[in-house]
Amino acid sequence: MSRFKIFNTLKDNKETVDKISDDNNKSLHKDISKNISEVKQMLGNSFDIVTREIKIGETNSIEAVVIYTDGLVDKDLVHNYVLETLMIDVRKAESEKKINSDQELYNFIKNSTLTTVELKEIDIFPDLYHHLLSGDTIVLLNGFPKGFAVGSRGWEDRGVQEPSSQQVVRGPKDAFTETLRTNTALIRRRIKDPNLWIETQKIGKKTQTDVAIAYINGLVTEDIVLEVKQRLNKIDIDSILESGYIEELIQDEAYTPFPTMYNSERPDSISAGLLEGRVAILVDGTPFVLLVPALFIDFFQSSEDYYQRSDIGSLIRLLRFFAFFLALLTPSAYIALTTFHQEMIPTTLLTSIAAQREGVPFPAFIEALIMEITFEILREAGVRLPRAVGSAISIVGALVLGQAAVEAGIVSATMVIVVSLTAISSFVSPTYNMAISVRMLRFGFMILAATFGLYGIILGLILMVLHLTGLRSFGIPYLSPMAPLAVGEQKDALIRAPLWMQTRRPKLISQKDKIREKTEKPKPTRQ
Amino acid sequence: MFIAIIVLLLSLILFRFEYSQVKKLKSKKDKWTLLVGFVIGLYCAISLPLDLPVPHMNRVMDQLVGPIAKPIATMLQSFRIK
Amino acid sequence: MNQKVVHLLCIVVLCISLTGCWSSRELSELAIATALGIDKHEDGYKLTVQIMNPGEIAGRQLTTRAVVTTYSTTGKTIFEALRRLTTITPRKIYLAHLRIIIFGQELMEEEGLANSLDFISRDHELRTDFSLAIAKDMSAEDLIKVLTPIEKVPADKIFSSLKTSQDNWAPTKVVMLDELISSLTSPGKQAVLTGLYISGKPETGNHIENVQQVDSPAKVHLDHIGVFKGDKLVGWLNESESKGFNYITDNVLNTVGWVECDQTGTISVEVFKSNTKLTGLADNGTPKITIDVKSEASIGEVACQIDINDEKKLTEIEQKLEKKIEEIVNGSIAKAKEFNSDIFGFGDVLRRFEPKKWETWKENWSEEFQNIEITVNADMKIRRTGTTTESFIGKIEQKKEKDE
Amino acid sequence: MSEKVRISGAQFAILVIMNVLGTAIIIVPSIAASFGQQNGWFSVLLATLFGIGLVFLYYLIDNNHPNKNLYEQLEDLFGKWIGKFLSVLFIVFFFEIAIGNLRVMGDFIITQILVNTPIEVIMLLAVITCLIAVRMGIEVISRTAEIFFPYTVIAIILLITLVLPESEITHIQPVLQNNIAATLAGVIPLLGYPFLELVVMLAIMKHVNKQKAGRGFLVGMTIGGLLLTVVTLMCLVVLGSDITARNVYPTYVLGKKISVADFLDRIEILVAIIWFFTIFFKITISFYVVAIGVSHTLNLKNYKTTTIPLAYVIMVFGFFASPNIISTRIFLSSTWIPVSLIFGLVIPIVMLVVGFVKKKI
């Protein structure tokens, strides 16, 4: 675990803080002891709030107090640049007879003593609480109804590690962390463009979570940024603990099994999205960054597609789409074929399936349902269990259950194959949330297949596509560039064309600054 | 009978939902159309399980344009393979 | 906005889905029929169905129970008989995987094909990829009951040997349903069906011993083609006539032919490519058909003293082969004329080449068929001689002479 | 009232193709072969040429009144009351298309695919799906069509190429030698079904870009007609005219003929199910057009108001549309011919003439 020093810009928090604490705009008292007792009372004498009462100066000695939240501050910084300067430097200066009045002392402390980058004057309690609880150090002087908030944020932090989801073989291995500053820094390190703008605001009445929206000015369509801001401003909730809260509160369509916002903990994916003119939403406290607008195909693209040769990338992408349909339809197709359309199965295959099903007591649908649900339970158990036992148990469970169930004649071997094929296919999806949608929809398709065979499946597919075409993500049709068809966009949809062919940015997302590159097809310069 | 009741119940739920949508349009005509439409629709819906009379569209058309259609049909029939 | 309604409707869809599974049939409720036999009976028809026992074919523990079972019933119509079968079969009979339908000879001779075919073509469960055949001189029931070695399902055996013999030997023909129907309905063509019969001891055919012995006592043979007139069976083509039939209808994929050498002995050739072109012509009002058979062959066996390195000799063999093909073809036509049945579709050929004249001939085509003038031109090319050139038989003969 | 949305020229072309193929793809070969026998494909080709001619008529009409749908045009041309009366007639015509196709679809599914399922349920499911589509609007419908179009075309092309080895050219010989009169007579029922039914597109043409509408219509009609011709031709070449005419659904029988290396066979249900897309879009478009027609005639605020009641009516009238499959075939080659001629040809020509006269004045 590395230790990170976080310096926040203090000024832009003012408005939000004001907004939230309209009802409680209480000013600071002149009397320092009153202030201290009020703070202590308000915070319920919490033991992590440290108050250090000191006296500043020799002649014009003033009572002062330094308050900070233990654990959120960089103690070295408080020690070296706040306490030490206040207690030693002021005294030195005073001995040189520069300071005559309390007011001068106040100004001297403000202008010359506190040698930190961030310093802000505060005069109301809500401000004080906010800064105190964000990790700033508060310095109050007796006789002044105001004080200082010294930027001293620094807390234990997980550090940049490999992403736990969306792994790649080739490509950067860093991932976002729980700290907003680190995350913005990770993006900045990739895009050194002055037009990368990051705006923050606080959402959540209780949590006061920092939510930042990042975009590249000049690439992004202003409407989308405006839309994002408006939707964010509409949120009225007491807590934001993860970007999932934001996603659920601002997505276009509330009732849809499909994700309409992309999330990733990979800085390279997010940067690539920003460079296409999308807007990223970063939430403090989670490594998962949201990206909007998100299209259906985005959930089948991995950042690795771009780091490999284009032919490999394209084939793998096609494979993912194929796996999507396998994961969605394999069990339902099996049910439809074995209970409705036996004539479609080649005779020899039918014979062996029939032989296996001979002793199975359940209808194919129930059998499939049992196996699918068992598998879902196993998978869920595998995810939640301690990592050391999780995967082992799930594999063993699947093997034992599958094998034993077949041996006992409760399920047929074919069904085990079908379920494992489905399971493997659903793991192919590079994004977790699309895989979950597929897992849910699969059961709907199974019911349709069990009652109407292929006819039911086709109706289900039509309904699904109708729903998908009706969806929008921040105004962009979800199924574009397939429907509405944009021929030019096909270079980076189902397949991934070579980089030198993708000269233009996706025009659906942004109409501005269309040309991405002008690289010609590579060839040796010397003929 | 049982099916008819189920159909009616489902339709009423559907009507409730739809009516609340149409109400938002603030148009009297829309409301009335929906109401009348649903009455016709419900008649149709329960006519299936209860065997109520419903016009056979093809026969209605046959009767309407029969005088013109007959000669064409006989003419065509003469060309048909036997 | 209308999302609520849409969801309600989706729920309705799922509700309907959950309440009924009208058409579904579990695999374990089905009796998969592989062959169907139709015989004449005093009640109307006698139907025999061969049902496979999947557990015996692909199960994990195979027992010595038979892999197929047969059931028979009678009925006024085939449809009725089929449904009556459910009174004796444990499951519903599923016909989509049928491999073969066999008609009894008696039925074909007396009743005709038409009535049986309608059900077969109308039923949705029946596909068109099964073949049809006739049980020669026996009832279809007996034939269906025979167990066969190697291919576990007897119907599969018949189906695959029909196919392989059509592909490699030529005197049989796989007749599928639509072809049969179109030749039955076409005025310029008569139908044919391959004949099957059992050799050996037919009575042991339905015992498991039949497949337990190295040399099965009862074997299914197929080497005759049944000729129809209208929809009634009128006679049989023997092996060589059947081959001639296949030459004319361009149905020879690969076959073997032989000719005698100058001396004693024979040369066999493998015909690996054969194309037949039929052309029709109205010559002074009489129909005329030209049959051009173009074949390519390779020498497969030389059982006499002959120098096949000699081109002249090769040409001689070619000419002999051509003559033989012509003979076979003519023999076949003569037989067809004897039955007065245009199984080759000469009428169809004339319809294509002389559509106007055909209209006049169409009415009494069976008479015109007798007068039809037929020219056969066979053209045989020997392309290869196998892996050896000159046969060693000559050497052996010389050695023999020396020894003597 | 209709929505203010745009659909692209390509989407319009796809909708036209879907409307031409519709249910026609499964029964047209049979109708064509029952007249022209081995020349049946020529009847379809002639009908296609006629259809292409129709495109120009419809294009001219639309060009006179851009940004107006059929019902608005009728009121513009003939005044409010006559216009409304004609609109009602057109609505009945489109309604008949919707229920007729629904019924044919239901008959097809229960004859070939789900035999023991009640036809009401099959139709009900289809109607509910159409209803959801119609409520989502023409934009979503055309985009969905765009998604499914490739699969439809691939299915047809696969069908054609996979049965090619089974084809025998002798089945369609002699080419155009006899049966000429019957071949020409065979064009007549094909005009009504499906080509004259394309007048339905006039009601949604205003959503298409003016320049692209005509081209889309032409391309769609040509491709659709040619596909129909080729499918008919394949039926004749593979099955022969007799079986093609005799079968209710010859294209499905054609699908049964697919067999690649004894492995890729028995897939006709898959092929048939994919054709279901075309039928679905045909019913949906007719349903949609009826819905906007009713709401236009009654001056409603939103066409969605009428959709649910209409779904009930379409479902039940579809069920009672025809007592059996034979009567549908008779209906298509008798009554439907004058009806479709009136709505697809006579009234449009009158509209065109009146439009020109009005412009002159």
Side-chain angles (χ1 to χ4, degrees):
Chain A
M1 293 280 163
S2 74
R3 210 181 145 129
F4 256 69
K5 290 200 172 81
I6 306 302
F7 301 102
N8 199 1
T9 43
L10 299 172
K11 52 179 183 290
D12 48 301
N13 295 329
K14 179 85 170 145
E15 303 90 60
T16 33
V17 172
D18 279 351
K19 198 185 74 191
I20 293 164
S21 54
D22 270 342
D23 50 327
N24 191 11
N25 242 340
K26 206 171 167 191
S27 305
L28 292 174
H29 305 288
K30 267 191 168 182
D31 185 1
I32 193 163
S33 52
K34 254 188 174 177
N35 281 336
I36 294 170
S37 60
E38 175 132 12
V39 168
K40 280 195 171 169
Q41 196 197 339
M42 185 70 190
L43 295 169
N45 277 321
S46 299
F47 84 105
D48 60 336
I49 307 293
V50 180
T51 49
R52 172 82 158 88
E53 289 170 55
I54 51 172
K55 282 213 162 100
I56 307 177
E58 212 164 331
T59 49
N60 294 309
S61 84
I62 266 185
E63 275 182 58
V65 67
V66 172
I67 318 173
Y68 63 89
T69 312
D70 196 15
L72 289 186
V73 296
D74 181 357
K75 265 193 185 162
D76 285 346
L77 189 139
V78 176
H79 189 255
N80 293 335
Y81 303 106
V82 181
L83 285 174
E84 201 176 301
T85 48
L86 282 178
M87 293 164 86
I88 298 170
D89 293 358
V90 175
R91 194 162 297 198
K92 260 187 211 162
E94 210 176 17
S95 61
E96 287 163 29
K97 300 285 181 217
K98 279 176 190 163
I99 295 160
N100 298 315
S101 66
D102 282 0
Q103 186 61 44
E104 270 181 46
L105 181 71
Y106 181 88
N107 289 341
F108 176 72
I109 289 171
K110 183 180 162 191
N111 296 332
S112 318
T113 312
L114 292 169
T115 52
T116 54
V117 182
E118 292 165 82
L119 182 74
K120 202 189 157 204
E121 268 187 43
I122 46 171
D123 49 8
I124 51 170
F125 275 105
D127 260 7
L128 186 150
Y129 296 134
H130 172 71
H131 286 296
L132 177 61
L133 296 175
S134 303
D136 294 333
T137 305
I138 310 292
V139 179
L140 298 176
L141 301 176
N142 194 16
F144 293 92
K146 48 191 176 180
F148 307 111
V150 183
S152 62
R153 297 182 187 186
W155 50 79
E156 291 301 326
D157 167 283
R158 192 163 57 90
V160 176
Q161 290 178 321
E162 271 199 46
S164 57
S165 62
Q166 298 184 323
Q167 307 254 5
V168 293
V169 177
R170 179 176 174 177
K173 303 266 160 104
D174 54 349
F176 288 124
T177 69
E178 282 77 7
T179 319
L180 183 63
R181 280 311 109 174
T182 320
N183 295 352
T184 52
L186 284 170
I187 296 176
R188 278 255 186 240
R189 263 182 42 205
R190 286 185 166 75
I191 307 170
K192 298 170 190 74
D193 189 283
N195 285 320
L196 171 63
W197 289 4
I198 303 174
E199 298 175 25
T200 64
Q201 65 184 98
K202 295 204 179 294
I203 301 177
K205 279 181 299 220
K206 292 259 181 267
T207 56
Q208 294 284 313
T209 315
D210 283 304
V211 174
I213 54 174
Y215 54 88
I216 298 180
N217 190 36
L219 284 187
V220 75
T221 314
E222 279 86 358
D223 291 345
I224 294 179
V225 180
L226 211 65
E227 181 71 30
V228 173
K229 281 184 190 164
Q230 279 171 353
R231 289 191 195 180
L232 284 177
N233 284 336
K234 272 193 203 158
I235 297 178
D236 184 6
I237 193 172
D238 59 350
S239 65
I240 298 285
L241 294 179
E242 217 273 338
S243 52
Y245 284 50
I246 302 276
E247 183 175 351
E248 205 166 332
L249 291 171
I250 69 169
Q251 63 188 350
D252 288 58
E253 179 64 65
Y255 299 107
T256 173
F258 294 98
T260 49
M261 292 168 88
Y262 183 81
N263 72 66
S264 174
E265 53 174 338
R266 296 187 57 82
D268 55 336
S269 305
I270 299 297
S271 305
L274 289 173
L275 286 166
E276 283 178 350
R278 296 177 209 242
V279 179
I281 302 173
L282 299 92
V283 179
D284 193 29
T286 175
F288 289 94
V289 174
L290 301 173
L291 196 65
V292 293
L295 308 180
F296 183 69
I297 51 166
D298 291 338
F299 296 92
F300 295 92
Q301 303 178 350
S302 159
S303 54
E304 198 175 2
D305 295 352
Y306 301 93
Y307 309 147
Q308 283 170 334
R309 292 166 47 84
S310 76
D311 43 1
I312 299 170
S314 302
L315 278 175
I316 289 176
R317 224 175 242 192
L318 289 174
L319 188 75
R320 287 194 202 113
F321 279 98
F322 181 62
F324 170 77
F325 284 106
L326 275 186
L328 190 66
L329 297 177
T330 316
S332 44
Y334 176 76
I335 293 169
L337 288 191
T338 51
T339 55
F340 287 89
H341 314 293
Q342 289 95 349
E343 66 266 37
M344 281 180 75
I345 310 173
T347 313
T348 40
L349 183 60
L350 184 75
T351 325
S352 72
I353 295 178
Q356 286 167 22
R357 290 213 23 89
E358 209 60 27
V360 177
F362 308 109
F365 171 61
I366 302 294
E367 192 190 354
L369 209 59
I370 291 173
M371 284 307 282
E372 285 291 338
I373 290 175
T374 314
F375 171 72
E376 292 295 331
I377 293 170
L378 275 172
R379 175 147 77 173
E380 190 58 21
V383 175
R384 305 292 158 229
L385 274 169
R387 195 160 294 177
V389 280
S391 59
I393 278 190
S394 64
I395 290 168
V396 170
L399 267 177
V400 170
L401 261 181
Q403 184 110 9
V406 172
E407 298 265 298
I410 295 168
V411 294
S412 61
T414 339
M415 185 54 82
V416 176
I417 297 171
V418 166
V419 172
S420 14
L421 181 68
T422 318
I424 293 168
S425 305
S426 68
F427 288 133
V428 172
S429 172
T431 46
Y432 186 59
N433 38 0
M434 187 55 92
I436 295 178
S437 320
V438 172
R439 275 159 75 181
M440 288 192 302
L441 287 173
R442 186 156 72 216
F443 288 96
F445 275 102
M446 277 162 64
I447 293 172
L448 283 173
T451 37
F452 299 105
L454 282 175
Y455 178 67
I457 294 181
I458 284 298
L459 282 181
L461 275 180
I462 290 180
L463 282 176
M464 189 183 95
V465 174
L466 274 172
H467 176 73
L468 281 172
T469 41
L471 275 184
R472 279 168 183 273
S473 174
F474 288 81
I476 312 293
Y478 193 51
L479 271 193
S480 61
M482 271 94 78
L485 185 75
V487 180
E489 314 277 288
Q490 298 300 326
K491 284 177 194 164
D492 190 14
L494 293 175
I495 57 158
R496 203 277 286 177
L499 287 176
W500 43 265
M501 276 165 80
Q502 298 184 36
T503 50
R504 284 164 183 277
R505 283 175 222 286
K507 74 164 186 257
L508 280 156
I509 293 166
S510 170
Q511 299 277 348
K512 303 170 105 189
D513 195 6
K514 288 176 187 162
I515 302 298
R516 180 172 4 211
E517 57 169 349
K518 285 173 182 158
T519 322
E520 282 174 11
K521 185 180 168 185
K523 60 183 174 206
T525 37
R526 275 176 297 157
Q527 292 298 318
Chain B
M1 198 63 209
F2 180 63
I3 297 172
I5 291 168
I6 288 182
V7 167
L8 272 178
L9 276 176
L10 274 176
S11 309
L12 285 180
I13 299 170
L14 199 65
F15 179 75
R16 226 190 66 93
F17 277 114
E18 181 69 359
Y19 191 74
S20 63
Q21 302 289 338
V22 171
K23 233 178 174 176
K24 284 183 200 152
L25 294 172
K26 292 196 177 108
S27 150
K28 236 181 192 164
K29 231 176 211 173
D30 279 60
K31 279 190 208 168
W32 275 107
T33 313
L34 185 72
L35 209 66
V36 175
F38 250 92
V39 171
I40 299 172
L42 280 187
Y43 175 79
C44 287
I46 55 170
S47 70
L48 266 183
L50 296 185
D51 272 339
L52 301 177
V54 168
H56 291 48
M57 273 306 274
N58 287 10
R59 276 191 215 152
V60 171
M61 289 224 162
D62 279 338
Q63 273 156 14
L64 281 179
V65 293
I68 324 172
K70 271 265 164 58
I72 299 178
T74 32
M75 189 271 285
L76 285 178
Q77 205 58 41
S78 64
F79 286 110
R80 263 215 147 106
I81 48 162
K82 281 101 207 171
Chain C
M1 188 186 117
N2 54 48
Q3 210 61 35
K4 256 186 197 165
V5 178
V6 170
H7 281 100
L8 193 77
L9 291 176
C10 288
I11 290 163
V12 172
V13 170
L14 286 182
C15 284
I16 299 169
S17 310
L18 285 170
T19 49
C21 328
W22 293 276
S23 305
S24 74
R25 308 158 287 208
E26 288 299 325
L27 276 180
S28 42
E29 295 164 9
L30 290 182
I32 302 163
T34 49
L36 202 64
I38 303 172
D39 282 308
K40 194 173 160 52
H41 191 266
E42 55 247 34
D43 290 349
Y45 297 96
K46 181 168 194 186
L47 201 67
T48 312
V49 65
Q50 188 187 75
I51 290 162
M52 74 171 140
N53 180 356
E56 283 307 309
I57 297 164
R60 266 164 296 160
Q61 282 132 15
L62 301 182
T63 63
T64 49
R65 290 196 297 174
V67 288
V68 290
T69 350
T70 59
Y71 294 97
S72 300
T73 47
T74 57
K76 189 77 195 146
T77 65
I78 294 177
F79 200 30
E80 186 193 281
L82 189 70
R83 285 297 161 92
R84 187 168 291 155
L85 267 179
T86 48
T87 57
I88 47 171
T89 55
R91 297 169 179 180
K92 184 175 184 315
I93 289 166
Y94 185 63
L95 293 174
H97 284 270
L98 208 63
R99 301 319 294 268
I100 191 161
I101 293 185
I102 299 170
F103 301 102
Q105 181 167 358
E106 203 190 343
L107 176 78
M108 290 298 99
E109 278 167 350
E110 289 166 24
E111 184 88 13
L113 196 54
N115 294 338
S116 328
L117 275 187
D118 186 75
F119 166 74
I120 296 167
S121 71
R122 196 176 292 277
D123 193 83
H124 76 97
E125 222 172 69
L126 281 159
R127 301 170 47 84
T128 52
D129 59 355
F130 52 84
S131 58
L132 299 122
I134 303 175
K136 186 167 178 282
D137 300 323
M138 61 196 313
S139 70
E141 188 186 352
D142 294 336
L143 207 93
I144 277 184
K145 280 181 180 165
V146 176
L147 285 172
T148 53
I150 299 180
E151 280 279 5
K152 281 188 164 177
V153 181
D156 272 349
K157 185 264 164 204
I158 296 171
F159 187 78
S160 59
S161 61
L162 266 175
K163 269 218 155 133
T164 40
S165 69
Q166 175 182 268
D167 292 352
N168 296 311
W169 178 222
T172 54
K173 182 168 167 58
V174 179
V175 181
M176 300 273 187
L177 182 66
D178 41 356
E179 188 187 342
L180 185 64
I181 293 175
S182 62
S183 46
L184 277 175
T185 52
S186 163
K189 198 174 181 191
Q190 298 289 357
V192 292
L193 277 181
T194 300
L196 306 174
Y197 60 92
I198 304 174
S199 71
K201 300 180 217 155
E203 60 277 5
T204 51
N206 64 347
H207 289 294
I208 197 90
E209 298 97 75
N210 200 37
V211 290
Q212 282 173 336
Q213 295 181 25
V214 176
D215 182 17
S216 302
K219 291 193 195 84
V220 176
H221 285 251
L222 35 114
D223 47 18
H224 284 65
I225 287 181
V227 178
F228 281 75
K229 179 155 176 69
D231 70 331
K232 288 205 170 68
L233 181 71
V234 288
W236 294 94
L237 300 183
N238 65 22
E239 196 178 283
S240 113
E241 289 154 0
S242 304
K243 201 168 171 181
F245 169 80
N246 277 330
Y247 266 118
I248 298 170
T249 49
D250 196 14
N251 200 29
V252 176
L253 290 168
N254 194 317
T255 186
V256 173
W258 57 269
V259 284
E260 303 207 340
C261 290
D262 301 338
Q263 297 98 352
T264 52
T266 52
I267 294 180
S268 308
V269 292
E270 181 192 354
V271 179
F272 57 83
K273 192 173 169 188
S274 176
N275 269 317
T276 309
K277 237 172 92 182
L278 301 179
T279 34
L281 192 74
D283 188 19
N284 292 332
T286 48
K288 223 173 155 181
I289 295 275
T290 316
I291 304 170
D292 292 296
V293 186
K294 276 202 174 129
S295 309
E296 289 179 30
S298 64
I299 289 175
E301 185 186 355
V302 179
C304 65
Q305 275 182 309
I306 188 166
D307 183 13
I308 54 172
N309 286 330
D310 190 353
E311 262 192 53
K312 265 189 202 153
K313 288 270 158 86
L314 265 186
T315 328
E316 252 173 57
I317 299 169
E318 280 174 1
Q319 279 164 357
K320 273 185 188 165
L321 283 164
E322 284 163 9
K323 221 175 153 201
K324 185 141 188 193
I325 289 176
E326 280 163 26
E327 269 168 30
I328 292 173
V329 166
N330 279 324
S332 184
I333 292 170
K335 196 66 175 266
K337 278 190 175 169
E338 191 183 305
F339 295 130
N340 199 6
S341 169
D342 180 12
I343 49 175
F344 314 106
F346 288 151
D348 244 15
V349 176
L350 289 166
R351 180 181 60 81
R352 275 186 278 129
F353 284 94
E354 298 285 339
K356 303 250 156 54
K357 280 273 167 51
W358 168 245
E359 294 299 321
T360 59
W361 292 329
K362 195 164 83 177
E363 298 309 318
N364 43 0
W365 175 237
S366 54
E367 278 165 43
E368 295 285 346
F369 177 63
Q370 292 291 346
N371 312 330
I372 198 164
E373 260 182 66
I374 288 159
T375 328
V376 186
N377 303 316
D379 179 32
M380 174 67 84
K381 290 264 166 359
I382 291 178
R383 297 287 185 207
R384 284 179 282 280
T385 61
T387 52
T388 42
T389 51
E390 202 175 339
S391 175
F392 47 78
I393 287 183
K395 284 266 166 67
I396 298 171
E397 292 288 326
Q398 282 167 13
K399 197 176 158 195
K400 249 192 218 165
E401 277 163 28
K402 267 185 209 159
D403 290 349
E404 280 159 14
Chain D
M1 296 297 248
S2 54
E3 316 156 272
K4 290 178 188 64
V5 290
R6 295 247 75 113
I7 55 182
S8 74
Q11 287 170 345
F12 186 67
I14 288 169
L15 288 180
V16 172
I17 294 174
M18 295 288 193
N19 266 279
V20 173
L21 296 180
T23 47
I25 193 166
I26 47 176
I27 46 182
V28 150
S30 178
I31 296 176
S34 71
F35 287 99
Q37 283 172 284
Q38 74 273 38
N39 299 328
W41 59 274
F42 191 67
S43 310
V44 186
L45 190 66
L46 284 181
T48 305
L49 290 177
F50 176 82
I52 292 169
L54 272 183
V55 171
F56 289 100
L57 172 66
Y58 296 154
Y59 175 67
L60 284 177
I61 292 172
D62 185 67
N63 220 13
N64 280 347
H65 295 258
N67 303 324
K68 290 262 165 82
N69 69 25
L70 179 66
Y71 309 109
E72 289 159 345
Q73 288 173 22
L74 284 171
E75 286 187 21
D76 273 11
L77 288 170
F78 302 104
K80 196 178 173 192
W81 292 109
I82 301 177
K84 274 206 194 300
F85 175 69
L86 285 176
S87 292
V88 171
L89 288 184
F90 264 107
I91 289 166
V92 173
F93 176 68
F94 297 145
F95 180 73
E96 172 67 27
I97 296 179
I99 62 170
N101 279 290
L102 184 66
R103 176 73 199 197
V104 170
M105 188 273 306
D107 274 328
F108 174 64
I109 300 267
I110 61 159
T111 317
Q112 297 285 9
I113 300 170
L114 299 169
V115 179
N116 297 319
T117 311
I119 189 169
E120 301 94 297
V121 180
I122 301 284
M123 284 163 64
L124 179 63
L125 279 179
V127 168
I128 290 178
T129 316
C130 290
L131 172 65
I132 292 173
V134 167
R135 289 179 72 88
M136 288 185 139
I138 189 70
E139 201 176 16
V140 169
I141 296 172
S142 42
R143 278 189 201 155
T144 310
E146 209 167 15
I147 293 283
F148 285 122
F149 177 68
Y151 303 102
T152 317
V153 170
I154 288 171
I156 294 173
I157 290 174
L158 262 186
L159 173 74
I160 292 167
T161 46
L162 292 184
V163 296
L164 214 54
E166 309 270 329
S167 65
E168 264 183 60
I169 197 77
T170 57
H171 278 142
I172 58 160
Q173 284 172 334
V175 181
L176 301 179
Q177 296 266 340
N178 41 11
N179 278 326
I180 295 297
T183 308
L184 293 178
V187 179
I188 296 169
L190 297 180
L191 294 183
Y193 178 79
F195 292 102
L196 284 169
E197 292 177 359
L198 265 284
V199 69
V200 77
M201 302 312 280
L202 272 181
I204 58 167
M205 219 163 158
K206 77 160 190 183
H207 297 299
V208 194
N209 194 322
K210 197 180 152 193
Q211 285 90 38
K212 285 175 182 162
R215 224 178 66 187
F217 211 148
L218 189 66
V219 169
M221 183 70 96
T222 315
I223 293 178
L226 286 182
L227 282 178
L228 215 52
T229 312
V230 173
V231 167
T232 312
L233 187 65
M234 287 318 293
C235 279
L236 290 168
V237 166
V238 174
L239 305 172
S241 65
D242 187 62
I243 290 181
T244 308
R246 208 174 294 280
N247 266 297
V248 184
Y249 308 113
T251 325
Y252 188 74
V253 182
L254 188 66
K256 285 189 176 182
K257 285 275 164 188
I258 295 176
S259 172
V260 181
D262 282 339
F263 169 70
L264 197 65
D265 50 5
R266 302 168 172 268
I267 58 170
E268 70 275 0
I269 290 181
L270 219 57
V271 178
I273 285 288
I274 290 170
W275 294 329
F276 178 76
F277 294 144
T278 63
I279 302 170
F280 168 76
F281 286 107
K282 183 150 188 170
I283 301 172
T284 306
I285 290 290
S286 333
F287 187 171
Y288 176 78
V289 166
V290 170
I292 59 168
V294 172
S295 56
H296 179 85
T297 320
L298 297 175
N299 282 327
L300 300 182
K301 266 201 173 164
N302 193 331
Y303 77 95
K304 282 173 192 161
T305 310
T306 59
T307 46
I308 291 183
L310 270 176
Y312 277 98
V313 179
I314 286 180
M315 162 67 209
V316 175
F317 274 66
F319 180 74
F320 288 114
S322 68
N324 51 46
I325 185 74
I326 301 296
S327 91
T328 307
R329 276 166 74 93
I330 294 171
F331 179 79
L332 281 178
S333 52
S334 63
T335 314
W336 193 241
I337 298 166
V339 173
S340 57
L341 274 174
I342 291 168
F343 288 100
L345 196 64
V346 178
I347 298 183
I349 288 177
V350 173
M351 284 170 74
L352 195 63
V353 171
V354 172
F356 271 120
V357 170
K358 273 202 166 174
K359 239 181 204 172
K360 281 270 165 68
I361 297 163

